[in-house]
Amino acid sequence: MPESKTYYNPVNGEYTKILESAADTNGEYSHLEVCLKPGGGNPPHYHKKFTEEFFAVKGLLGMQYEKEDLHLQPGENRLVPIGTVHRFFNDTDEEIIFRIILRKGQPGFENFIKSLFGLVNDRKTTKRQTPKNPLYAALLLKWGDTHLKNPFFYLLTPFAGMAYFLAKVTGADTRLKNRYCR
């Protein structure tokens, strides 16, 4: 197995390590490990192209699964099918560790993590982790196949395709990948 790299997001206290990339598994899956500090988490969202399976390793993994909040003990897992609204969070006083398998492998999601965390560290996002450059925001949403459950984003959907196209035409995608995804 190739050496993995850890990416850090100081806004939500998340360390994510890509244990096995889509390239490592011939596109079968992407395998990530997340260490999440107390109070950390992500917003409710869903994916249209891949499933996520969460495996609790250390501590109590908080998850929103559709409208239900649940907690996974170490050794427990939960499959999140395509289109299912979910999020993870840590509502304990200690860091937690969990693993995620994305099926099929998601090189775009891997680039999403690398780029978003890089932009956050370079202070090129808002406090809510939205890239200040709207072309970068469009790229990240596309790469991560991340659909936020927020009415504001539904209003932006018609413009996201245009912004993604502009990002490709202007080379913003290449600049973002060259900066954070090597």
Side-chain angles (χ1 to χ4, degrees):
M1 182 183 325
E3 186 176 326
S4 54
K5 182 174 178 191
T6 300
Y7 302 90
Y8 176 59
N9 183 335
V11 172
N12 70 349
E14 177 182 343
Y15 291 87
T16 296
K17 182 185 289 189
I18 300 173
L19 298 174
E20 294 175 281
S21 69
D24 297 333
T25 66
N26 294 318
E28 289 291 318
Y29 60 90
S30 297
H31 187 196
L32 314 174
E33 182 174 84
V34 176
C35 176
L36 192 62
K37 300 293 181 192
N42 61 359
H45 64 281
Y46 62 96
H47 307 285
K48 293 181 177 179
K49 296 179 182 170
F50 60 92
T51 63
E52 283 184 284
E53 189 164 8
F54 290 82
F55 299 85
V57 175
K58 175 187 168 201
L60 198 59
L61 168 58
M63 287 188 68
Q64 177 185 337
Y65 184 88
E66 289 288 355
K67 295 182 180 184
E68 175 188 7
D69 280 349
L70 52 101
H71 290 86
L72 300 180
Q73 299 279 348
E76 295 181 326
N77 65 297
R78 174 63 71 123
L79 178 68
V80 179
I82 290 172
T84 302
V85 176
H86 65 284
R87 69 181 284 261
F88 59 78
F89 58 89
N90 180 357
D91 58 355
T92 73
D93 293 332
E94 296 184 17
E95 74 178 24
I96 61 173
I97 297 174
F98 58 97
R99 292 188 173 177
I100 307 168
I101 293 181
L102 314 175
R103 282 198 171 43
K104 64 185 185 172
Q106 295 298 309
F109 188 86
E110 295 165 19
N111 286 339
F112 165 83
I113 291 291
K114 295 171 187 178
S115 297
L116 175 61
F117 288 21
L119 289 167
V120 167
N121 279 285
D122 288 346
R123 295 189 170 111
K124 294 183 178 182
T125 63
T126 66
K127 290 179 183 177
R128 294 184 175 246
Q129 303 177 61
T130 302
K132 293 176 183 175
N133 181 328
L135 298 182
Y136 289 171
L139 286 166
L140 292 182
L141 288 174
K142 181 81 167 179
W143 290 347
D145 182 38
T146 300
H147 306 272
L148 301 170
K149 291 297 290 184
N150 179 324
F152 175 72
F153 286 94
Y154 289 119
L155 295 173
L156 292 180
T157 300
F159 305 104
M162 184 186 323
Y164 180 75
F165 173 77
L166 286 172
K168 299 286 282 178
V169 169
T170 63
D173 62 331
T174 302
R175 288 190 302 279
L176 199 59
K177 283 181 183 176
N178 285 343
R179 173 81 172 120
Y180 300 112
C181 301
R182 290 183 181 243

